[in-house]
Amino acid sequence: MCGIVGYIGQKKAYPILIKGLQRLEYRGYDSAGVAMISTNGNLNVYKAKGKVADLETFCEDKDVSGSVGIAHTRWATHGEPNITNAHPHYSASGRLALIHNGIIENYATIKENLIARGIHFKSVTDTEVLVQLIEHIMLSNDLCILEAVQVALHQVIGAYAIAILDCEHPDTIICARQSSPLVVGLGEEGDFYLASDASPIAEYTDKVVYLNDGDIAVMQLGKDLIVVNTDNETQHPKVKLIDVTLGQLEKGGYPFFMLKEIFEQPNCIRDCMRGRINVEGNRITLSAVIDYREKLVNAHRIIIVACGTSWHAGLIGKQLIESLCRIPVEVEYASEFRYREPVIFHDDVVIAISQSGETADTLAAIELARRSGAFVFGVCNAIGASIPRQTQTGVYIHVGPEIGVASTKAFTGQVTVLSMLALCIANERCTITDNQYKEMVAELTRIPAKMEEALTTNEQIEHLSSIFTYAKNCLYLGRGYNYPVALEGALKLKEISYIHAEGYPAAEMKHGPIALIDSEMPVFVIATRDKLYEKVISNIQEVRARGGRVIALVTRGDEQIRNLANHVIELPDTFECFQPLIASIPLQLLAYHIAVCKGKDVDRPRNLAKSVTVE
Ligand code: G6P
């Protein structure tokens, strides 16, 4: 979703801002813009529809001088993606420029009031309302910009991360946060960086301040960072160190981040387990489980809330926790849960899963759960994001920054953490024997090597993909632990190749999707050896009997399905509950190669955002 970048210091702002926008491209956007105070004191705003590259082309013959600026990538919510609606937005007098991520819910009422006072609007965005409101308050009450921002934010309902330039105070950037992320980087030479996440900042400094809800930060040349709230009370946010390396933010020789991240998975899963599984490879220590043992071990019920791919990981978590720990688990779309008046008990444990840690619906679900007295546990990737800060405890998945919009390594990282969590709780509850526990932990440590083996199917899948590039619809079938894998496989294909795909529990196919089956529709079946193996074979037969083309993911050496299916992809064997960690890899590769064959921009699929910070 919208990305914010800012810089104030001694260096030239423009290259820093453009590079920062490029680093945030992965979040998804449809237009971009930049505002800078030039060396002769003008407040210049340049915008373009489309990519950051289009903005650069537009700026080629413009004055991009100055060492103070803010920049933005916009993912349209209010108003179509065009130059007028793109940010930054000027105030009526042209003195202020503002960028915004989030939604101002009461913008229509404020706008009506401002129009009644003679203010003219150029765009149809909620953002322009904010900049006009701030200037109106500033001029009509003779306030300074900080005071005007404080008064204005008291009137605003909604979510925002904003940054403002005032050409009458060219040595200052003011920014504020409420429910949308904002990070301030503290440079070596007293310069300041600003961004929606740490990725545009990492190459300049490792010292950052994650702003909290209600914070307003003043970045002034030659002064320390000032953080206050809307009542002008000084806040004392902690300076944190970020551990993002530049290599993690580059493609490292791969054509797309998604492919790089697919191939990173074995090492990411090693990182995820490092320090948590002992050297003998038979015991897991999760500090969250030690610190909150009573809450977790005695939970009467667990509710998992998440969105998108993280929700699919949650479905696997449910099966792991129910079968290993014997605790009932419900898995909820955060967006539904938050508005459904769910029954939440104070002895419920709510697990919020999120790669970005900033998904607005998941944050709202956490808030609801906390208000109801439940204990909230986060499973998150982005260090220091809102979700780990708003949950009582949790576990980071530690797979490094995920840039590809289609989530891959975060999914397997989430499943790995949920596996470790389920094993820890089951061990504490004695719902599995010590031997079972040790064998399962040992198998988990073998998963990265098995993932490496699964990645050797890449060439075969690349070849298969060229056959299926022209499919209009695809069906993905699986049962048990492999049912969420089918859902995730279908989601990957939809997201980046724009082919309609459905994931279904294989047996349930008979109650609908079987009507769609013909020789034109590829059916991908996850048919690894597990307790439902024979049943899945029957499902494959049902598809074949209707002329369907079956591509089956099987356990290495499976001759029975080789004779039945049109194509087989062989995978290493593992325990049934860990199969999703292996079987999801060929499906990620399949979606990737089909999208590449179709000439799609894999890392920047249309209309999608990496981090959905609005509901
Ligand atoms: C967006 C992303 C998905 C992601 C979902 C949930 O839709 O494109 O890849 O699964 O949000 O995001 P989260 O960061 O909460 O896991």
Side-chain angles (χ1 to χ4, degrees), residues 307-310 353-357 359 362 405 407 414 495 609-610 612:
C307 302
T309 289
S310 301
I353 308 176
S354 173
Q355 186 287 127
S356 62
T359 302
T362 310
V405 168
S407 183
Q414 289 162 345
E495 282 180 314
K610 179 75 182 157
V612 181

mmCIF file of all heavy atoms in Angstrom, residues 307-310 353-357 359 362 405 407 414 495 609-610 612, ligand 1:
data_model
loop_
_atom_site.group_PDB
_atom_site.id
_atom_site.type_symbol
_atom_site.label_atom_id
_atom_site.label_comp_id
_atom_site.label_asym_id
_atom_site.label_seq_id
_atom_site.Cartn_x
_atom_site.Cartn_y
_atom_site.Cartn_z
ATOM 1 N N CYS A 307 -4.942 -12.694 7.447
ATOM 2 C CA CYS A 307 -5.485 -12.395 6.117
ATOM 3 C C CYS A 307 -4.596 -13.081 5.071
ATOM 4 O O CYS A 307 -3.408 -13.306 5.307
ATOM 5 C CB CYS A 307 -5.446 -10.896 5.818
ATOM 6 S SG CYS A 307 -6.330 -9.899 7.005
ATOM 7 N N GLY A 308 -5.177 -13.330 3.904
ATOM 8 C CA GLY A 308 -4.413 -13.791 2.740
ATOM 9 C C GLY A 308 -3.619 -15.053 3.018
ATOM 10 O O GLY A 308 -4.105 -16.012 3.636
ATOM 11 N N THR A 309 -2.363 -15.028 2.578
ATOM 12 C CA THR A 309 -1.495 -16.189 2.746
ATOM 13 C C THR A 309 -1.329 -16.553 4.213
ATOM 14 O O THR A 309 -1.258 -17.733 4.571
ATOM 15 C CB THR A 309 -0.126 -15.881 2.088
ATOM 16 O OG1 THR A 309 -0.321 -15.876 0.679
ATOM 17 C CG2 THR A 309 0.922 -16.899 2.446
ATOM 18 N N SER A 310 -1.276 -15.549 5.072
ATOM 19 C CA SER A 310 -1.106 -15.814 6.503
ATOM 20 C C SER A 310 -2.296 -16.606 7.050
ATOM 21 O O SER A 310 -2.153 -17.422 7.959
ATOM 22 C CB SER A 310 -0.956 -14.498 7.275
ATOM 23 O OG SER A 310 0.148 -13.789 6.787
ATOM 24 N N ILE A 353 -1.444 -13.792 12.904
ATOM 25 C CA ILE A 353 -0.328 -14.113 11.999
ATOM 26 C C ILE A 353 -0.264 -13.044 10.921
ATOM 27 O O ILE A 353 -1.276 -12.726 10.284
ATOM 28 C CB ILE A 353 -0.532 -15.490 11.323
ATOM 29 C CG1 ILE A 353 -0.831 -16.570 12.364
ATOM 30 C CG2 ILE A 353 0.694 -15.873 10.491
ATOM 31 C CD1 ILE A 353 -1.133 -17.941 11.754
ATOM 32 N N SER A 354 0.929 -12.487 10.706
ATOM 33 C CA SER A 354 1.063 -11.445 9.686
ATOM 34 C C SER A 354 2.528 -11.308 9.281
ATOM 35 O O SER A 354 3.394 -11.164 10.139
ATOM 36 C CB SER A 354 0.560 -10.116 10.244
ATOM 37 O OG SER A 354 0.830 -9.076 9.332
ATOM 38 N N GLN A 355 2.777 -11.357 7.997
ATOM 39 C CA GLN A 355 4.137 -11.143 7.509
ATOM 40 C C GLN A 355 4.573 -9.730 7.830
ATOM 41 O O GLN A 355 5.600 -9.504 8.459
ATOM 42 C CB GLN A 355 4.174 -11.409 5.995
ATOM 43 C CG GLN A 355 5.541 -11.368 5.336
ATOM 44 C CD GLN A 355 6.152 -9.985 5.176
ATOM 45 O OE1 GLN A 355 7.291 -9.762 5.607
ATOM 46 N NE2 GLN A 355 5.422 -9.047 4.615
ATOM 47 N N SER A 356 3.768 -8.761 7.392
ATOM 48 C CA SER A 356 4.156 -7.349 7.494
ATOM 49 C C SER A 356 4.019 -6.812 8.914
ATOM 50 O O SER A 356 4.705 -5.868 9.300
ATOM 51 C CB SER A 356 3.277 -6.498 6.585
ATOM 52 O OG SER A 356 1.921 -6.596 7.008
ATOM 53 N N GLY A 357 3.094 -7.388 9.652
ATOM 54 C CA GLY A 357 2.808 -6.853 10.984
ATOM 55 C C GLY A 357 2.052 -5.538 10.935
ATOM 56 O O GLY A 357 1.936 -4.847 11.949
ATOM 57 N N THR A 359 -1.012 -5.233 8.764
ATOM 58 C CA THR A 359 -2.300 -5.385 8.095
ATOM 59 C C THR A 359 -3.417 -4.805 8.972
ATOM 60 O O THR A 359 -3.589 -5.224 10.130
ATOM 61 C CB THR A 359 -2.544 -6.870 7.773
ATOM 62 O OG1 THR A 359 -1.451 -7.294 6.956
ATOM 63 C CG2 THR A 359 -3.842 -7.089 7.028
ATOM 64 N N THR A 362 -5.991 -7.150 10.635
ATOM 65 C CA THR A 362 -5.420 -8.009 11.674
ATOM 66 C C THR A 362 -5.161 -7.188 12.938
ATOM 67 O O THR A 362 -5.407 -7.649 14.058
ATOM 68 C CB THR A 362 -4.127 -8.686 11.162
ATOM 69 O OG1 THR A 362 -4.415 -9.272 9.882
ATOM 70 C CG2 THR A 362 -3.633 -9.771 12.106
ATOM 71 N N VAL A 405 5.482 -9.448 -3.900
ATOM 72 C CA VAL A 405 4.130 -9.255 -3.353
ATOM 73 C C VAL A 405 3.486 -10.603 -3.013
ATOM 74 O O VAL A 405 2.802 -10.749 -2.009
ATOM 75 C CB VAL A 405 3.256 -8.431 -4.333
ATOM 76 C CG1 VAL A 405 1.793 -8.474 -3.922
ATOM 77 C CG2 VAL A 405 3.741 -6.993 -4.339
ATOM 78 N N SER A 407 3.467 -13.811 -1.374
ATOM 79 C CA SER A 407 4.235 -14.293 -0.219
ATOM 80 C C SER A 407 4.682 -15.739 -0.430
ATOM 81 O O SER A 407 3.900 -16.591 -0.848
ATOM 82 C CB SER A 407 3.336 -14.194 1.015
ATOM 83 O OG SER A 407 4.037 -14.571 2.151
ATOM 84 N N GLN A 414 6.021 -18.998 8.562
ATOM 85 C CA GLN A 414 4.884 -19.021 9.493
ATOM 86 C C GLN A 414 4.535 -20.456 9.880
ATOM 87 O O GLN A 414 4.282 -20.765 11.047
ATOM 88 C CB GLN A 414 3.668 -18.351 8.838
ATOM 89 C CG GLN A 414 3.831 -16.838 8.697
ATOM 90 C CD GLN A 414 2.859 -16.226 7.687
ATOM 91 O OE1 GLN A 414 2.238 -16.932 6.886
ATOM 92 N NE2 GLN A 414 2.745 -14.909 7.707
ATOM 93 N N GLU A 495 -2.769 -14.479 -8.049
ATOM 94 C CA GLU A 495 -2.113 -13.212 -7.733
ATOM 95 C C GLU A 495 -1.198 -12.724 -8.843
ATOM 96 O O GLU A 495 -1.190 -11.547 -9.164
ATOM 97 C CB GLU A 495 -1.254 -13.366 -6.455
ATOM 98 C CG GLU A 495 -2.035 -13.351 -5.179
ATOM 99 C CD GLU A 495 -1.131 -13.507 -3.954
ATOM 100 O OE1 GLU A 495 -0.247 -14.383 -3.955
ATOM 101 O OE2 GLU A 495 -1.316 -12.766 -2.990
ATOM 102 N N ALA A 609 -1.380 -5.152 -3.106
ATOM 103 C CA ALA A 609 -0.427 -4.449 -2.240
ATOM 104 C C ALA A 609 0.215 -5.470 -1.321
ATOM 105 O O ALA A 609 -0.410 -6.456 -0.932
ATOM 106 C CB ALA A 609 -1.150 -3.402 -1.418
ATOM 107 N N LYS A 610 1.465 -5.237 -1.006
ATOM 108 C CA LYS A 610 2.177 -6.163 -0.120
ATOM 109 C C LYS A 610 1.691 -6.010 1.308
ATOM 110 O O LYS A 610 1.537 -6.987 2.031
ATOM 111 C CB LYS A 610 3.677 -5.852 -0.211
ATOM 112 C CG LYS A 610 4.539 -6.724 0.663
ATOM 113 C CD LYS A 610 4.654 -8.106 0.068
ATOM 114 C CE LYS A 610 5.461 -9.053 0.922
ATOM 115 N NZ LYS A 610 5.103 -10.449 0.609
ATOM 116 N N VAL A 612 -1.264 -4.380 3.476
ATOM 117 C CA VAL A 612 -2.589 -3.771 3.310
ATOM 118 C C VAL A 612 -2.926 -2.978 4.567
ATOM 119 O O VAL A 612 -3.483 -3.500 5.520
ATOM 120 C CB VAL A 612 -3.645 -4.838 2.977
ATOM 121 C CG1 VAL A 612 -5.015 -4.199 2.782
ATOM 122 C CG2 VAL A 612 -3.254 -5.569 1.705
HETATM 123 C C1 G6P B 1 -1.663 -8.837 1.169
HETATM 124 C C2 G6P B 1 -0.445 -9.499 0.568
HETATM 125 C C3 G6P B 1 -0.467 -10.996 0.856
HETATM 126 C C4 G6P B 1 -0.571 -11.236 2.352
HETATM 127 C C5 G6P B 1 -1.762 -10.505 2.961
HETATM 128 C C6 G6P B 1 -1.693 -10.508 4.473
HETATM 129 O O1 G6P B 1 -2.799 -9.273 0.509
HETATM 130 O O2 G6P B 1 -0.406 -9.287 -0.827
HETATM 131 O O3 G6P B 1 0.716 -11.595 0.370
HETATM 132 O O4 G6P B 1 -0.698 -12.602 2.589
HETATM 133 O O5 G6P B 1 -1.758 -9.124 2.562
HETATM 134 O O6 G6P B 1 -0.580 -9.775 4.867
HETATM 135 P P1 G6P B 1 0.228 -9.959 6.201
HETATM 136 O O7 G6P B 1 1.368 -9.001 6.083
HETATM 137 O O8 G6P B 1 -0.719 -9.611 7.304
HETATM 138 O O9 G6P B 1 0.668 -11.374 6.273
#
